[in-house]
Amino acid sequence: IANDVQNDNKPISLSITGLPTGVFAGAPVSAEETIVILDDDCPYGFETFVGTASVIENGAVGPYDVVTTEVGPNTVQTDNFWDSGIAATFVFVPCDGTVQIPQQSTPAFGDPDGNIVGSGTWNDETGEVVINVTISFPAFDFVSVEQHVYQF
C-alpha cells in the first residue's frame, strides 16, 4: 500500500486449508482468518486544498482567485492557472509536504505546445501552497520561471 496515497485500513482474508504433518500450531487453527493492515499514511488535511484560493505570482501580481477540484487521490485541478483560465493539475505528497506539478500540456494563447511543470510545498495548517513553476509557450519563444503562492 503506497504511503504517498491517502487510503484506509486494508483487510486481508486468509484461508488455511491445513498444516503439514508434524507441524503444531500451538493453538486451534481456524480455516478463515482476517487481518487488517492499519493505515499508516501521514495524515494531513487534503480537504484544505479543495475550494477557492487567492493567488499571488512572484510576490507582486494578483491576487486573483482560483477554484480547485479534487480529481484523484491527493490530486486537484485548478480552473484559472496564471489568471488565464488554464486548467492545471497539482499532486500533493502527504508524507513530505511537497506538491508536484507534473509536466502537462496547456495549449493557450494560440500555442498548441504550451506546457507547465513545477514543484513546491504545502502546509495544511496555514492553508498555503507555494509552487515554483516553469511556463513555456514554444511558438512564441516564451519561457517564464515563476513562484505562485496559493492561500486557501
Side-chain angles (χ1 to χ4, degrees):
I1 301 172
N3 246 359
D4 61 349
V5 175
Q6 200 81 4
N7 48 40
D8 297 324
N9 296 342
K10 299 289 182 187
I12 297 175
S13 295
L14 305 171
S15 294
I16 300 173
T17 57
L19 296 173
T21 304
V23 173
F24 178 68
V29 176
S30 170
E32 297 284 329
E33 290 293 330
T34 299
I35 61 171
V36 177
I37 299 175
L38 298 178
D39 176 19
D40 67 345
D41 298 329
C42 303
Y44 76 112
F46 173 72
E47 65 281 353
T48 301
F49 308 114
V50 177
T52 302
S54 179
V55 181
I56 296 180
E57 297 174 7
N58 300 320
V61 178
Y64 59 87
D65 287 342
V66 300
V67 175
T68 61
T69 305
E70 182 176 0
V71 294
N74 305 318
T75 306
V76 298
Q77 185 173 64
T78 69
D79 68 342
N80 192 25
F81 183 80
W82 215 33
D83 201 19
S84 63
I86 293 173
T89 301
F90 296 7
V91 180
F92 292 82
V93 182
C95 293
D96 66 7
T98 64
V99 60
Q100 302 298 317
I101 299 102
Q103 185 162 350
Q104 52 202 284
S105 176
T106 53
F109 310 112
D111 186 350
D113 297 320
N115 67 81
I116 62 170
V117 64
S119 63
T121 59
W122 57 263
N123 183 322
D124 61 336
E125 292 179 9
T126 64
E128 185 176 80
V129 176
V130 178
I131 63 168
N132 297 300
V133 63
T134 301
I135 304 164
S136 303
F137 290 100
F140 306 109
D141 253 354
F142 177 86
V143 176
S144 182
V145 178
E146 303 183 359
Q147 183 177 78
H148 296 191
V149 177
Y150 291 69
Q151 186 64 57
F152 287 84

